[in-house]
Structure formats: C-alpha cells, structure tokens
Amino acid sequence: MALSIQSLLILFTTLLLKGTLVVAETCSNCFTHSRAAYYLNSDEQGTDVGACGFGSFGATINGGDVSAVSDLYRNGVGCGACYQVRCTNSNYCSDKGVTVVITDQGSSHDTDFILSQRAFGRMAQTKDAAASLLALGVVDIEYRRYPNKNITIKIDENSNYPHYFAFVLWYQQGDKDITAVQLCETQNFVCKLLDRSHGAVWTTNSPPSGPLSLRMLLSGEDGDESWIIPVNNIPENWKGGETYDTGVQINV
C-alpha cells in the first residue's frame, strides 16, 4: 500500500530527529572554532607562575606543550585539562595539531588559548611553516577536549604529614570537570573532603594516615555527576614533590 503524504512527512521527521540525536550524542568529539596566540617568552615553554598552581612544572609539563586559557579557565576548574588544538590555515597547519595541558589563565586579541611557543609551532606542517605561524602571532583554530595521559597527582613540596597535604591534578580529560575531591584511608574507608585552594590545587590541614585513595567527582554541563575512584593509591610513605600515576583516564 502506498504511503500517504502525511505518513511520509512523519517518517522523514522521525529519521531527521534520530540523526540529530546521533550528532548530539557524538558531539563530545566535535571541534569548537576560536583563535590562539602564544607566550612571548624566550624559552619557548609556558610560564612557571601560572594561575593553576603548577609552579615550575607549569612550564615543562607535557614536554612544554601547555597553554593559558580565558573562558575555559572557569575559576580554576579547567586547570589540568587536555585539549587538541589545530590551526585552520591549510597552507601551514597540520590536521593533527597539538595536544596541550592547561596551566594558566590569560587572553590576547579575542583568543581562547595562549599557547607556549613550542606548542604554537607544533600545529604547523613543517619548520618553515612553524616560522610563518609564529610571524602571524594570532591564528584561527579549532579545539576539543582530548584524552592524552593518565591523570597524575603531583604532591606539593611543602606537604608534611600530619600537618599539611596538598597536590595538583595533571592531565584531566573528557567533557566533565573534577569539581570535588575526597581523600580516603584505604583500611577503614574514612574519607575527607578536600578544599580547592586555587587553580588545580587541592589541600587539607589534617591528612588521613596510611595508604590513601582518591575519589573525584565528575560534573557535566547538563548537571550529571558521578564519582570515580582511581586504580592506584597514594602510598603510605608519600613524599612532597613526588608524582603518582592514578592509572585512570576520563573519557566521558
């Protein structure tokens, strides 16, 4: 039996809505268009006084492929996030671009990103193309959150049991943000909610004893929240200045 015009319209609308839902579900992989500049320092890396609290590691983390951001900083929630950034000029730019870690806050010439010189040049196809990009100073880009490495804990050098414990989180991935962190004793499961000091720095004045487990609250723009527990614990004999691999990547 032949379909009526009304039935065909209903069928077409249904298929269109399904297609729209598929696009919405996969849009975590979508790129956002923006602009990027770079730090005008001489060592081609980031800054060691960034707003995220990474200290000197803010210049060298991820091999120096780092960036400051403006709106994406979001009062420090965006610190440690990983982004794939690629410029859009086909004469100079590669399809892969560069993966950067957010270590600072800043903006310039209506940009979302201020990359290290190293990262800015790595968006190019060749060394000559990198020189041309640097000469431009500001370029059109597209970016997206990007899985890169396991989330890593860097213990602050001033941490001293049982008086003070602080750390920063590196390599945050996925579309959700880490909005709360608990520190738990692994033997009796007593947990303590930590304070966000600034940027990506989490602190407590009375850390629990023994091997420690983290619980991180992931929050999305849609209001969805979930806790994640890393695979690896912080050892009982932790020391200030050391780094510990959590064993997890966040891909949601």
Side-chain angles (χ1 to χ4, degrees), residues 130-191:
S132 297
L133 282 183
L134 291 168
L136 290 174
V138 180
V139 296
D140 293 326
I141 62 160
E142 52 187 15
Y143 68 91
R144 64 180 176 181
R145 286 283 277 269
Y146 192 70
N148 187 24
K149 300 178 181 179
N150 290 347
I151 291 179
T152 300
I153 301 167
K154 168 68 167 56
I155 307 295
D156 184 83
E157 289 82 353
N158 296 317
S159 295
N160 181 21
Y161 180 82
H163 305 293
Y164 180 70
F165 185 77
F167 60 86
V168 293
L169 294 174
W170 295 349
Y171 309 127
Q172 181 181 334
Q173 316 96 1
D175 290 330
K176 295 184 178 180
D177 297 311
I178 298 175
T179 55
V181 176
Q182 289 185 335
L183 194 62
C184 306
E185 296 183 5
T186 58
Q187 296 179 352
N188 56 21
F189 302 106
V190 174
C191 296

Side-chain angles (χ1 to χ4, degrees), residues 58-77:
T60 59
I61 187 176
N62 198 38
D65 291 338
V66 298
S67 181
V69 289
S70 52
D71 293 343
L72 295 173
Y73 178 75
R74 289 172 294 125
N75 295 319
V77 174

Side-chain angles (χ1 to χ4, degrees), residues 43-251:
D43 57 9
E44 297 186 356
Q45 296 177 334
T47 175
D48 57 3
V49 292
C52 288
F54 290 169
S56 59
F57 291 94
T60 59
I61 187 176
N62 198 38
D65 291 338
V66 298
S67 181
V69 289
S70 52
D71 293 343
L72 295 173
Y73 178 75
R74 289 172 294 125
N75 295 319
V77 174
C79 287
C82 299
Y83 287 90
Q84 180 185 8
V85 182
R86 61 188 189 188
C87 51
T88 57
N89 188 325
S90 59
N91 293 323
Y92 305 128
C93 303
S94 69
D95 293 333
K96 183 179 180 180
V98 64
T99 302
V100 297
V101 175
I102 304 308
T103 61
D104 196 8
Q105 179 186 26
S107 62
S108 174
H109 301 288
D110 298 320
T111 63
D112 275 316
F113 290 81
I114 302 180
L115 304 174
S116 63
Q117 288 193 39
R118 168 187 164 87
F120 199 88
R122 281 167 58 82
M123 292 190 296
Q125 301 171 11
T126 63
K127 288 185 178 180
D128 290 341
S132 297
L133 282 183
L134 291 168
L136 290 174
V138 180
V139 296
D140 293 326
I141 62 160
E142 52 187 15
Y143 68 91
R144 64 180 176 181
R145 286 283 277 269
Y146 192 70
N148 187 24
K149 300 178 181 179
N150 290 347
I151 291 179
T152 300
I153 301 167
K154 168 68 167 56
I155 307 295
D156 184 83
E157 289 82 353
N158 296 317
S159 295
N160 181 21
Y161 180 82
H163 305 293
Y164 180 70
F165 185 77
F167 60 86
V168 293
L169 294 174
W170 295 349
Y171 309 127
Q172 181 181 334
Q173 316 96 1
D175 290 330
K176 295 184 178 180
D177 297 311
I178 298 175
T179 55
V181 176
Q182 289 185 335
L183 194 62
C184 306
E185 296 183 5
T186 58
Q187 296 179 352
N188 56 21
F189 302 106
V190 174
C191 296
K192 181 172 185 178
L193 187 65
L194 303 185
D195 298 317
R196 185 194 291 273
S197 172
H198 65 282
V201 182
W202 298 89
T203 67
T204 178
N205 289 326
S206 54
S209 61
L212 302 174
S213 173
L214 284 184
R215 298 179 74 238
M216 298 178 288
L217 179 63
L218 305 180
S219 302
E221 293 182 357
D222 57 358
D224 182 48
E225 294 185 335
S226 59
W227 288 92
I228 184 171
I229 302 176
V231 176
N232 300 329
N233 294 327
I234 301 172
E236 181 177 5
N237 59 342
W238 58 263
K239 295 180 181 179
E242 293 190 347
T243 59
Y244 300 101
D245 187 337
T246 65
V248 296
Q249 292 189 15
I250 301 173
N251 297 319

Side-chain angles (χ1 to χ4, degrees), residues 10-48:
I10 292 174
L11 177 61
F12 175 76
T13 303
T14 301
L15 292 174
L16 183 62
L17 285 173
K18 287 183 177 180
T20 302
L21 289 172
V22 169
V23 171
E25 290 172 356
T26 60
C27 206
S28 60
N29 293 322
C30 295
F31 283 93
T32 300
H33 293 278
S34 184
R35 287 159 59 82
Y38 63 89
Y39 283 107
L40 296 176
N41 53 1
S42 58
D43 57 9
E44 297 186 356
Q45 296 177 334
T47 175
D48 57 3

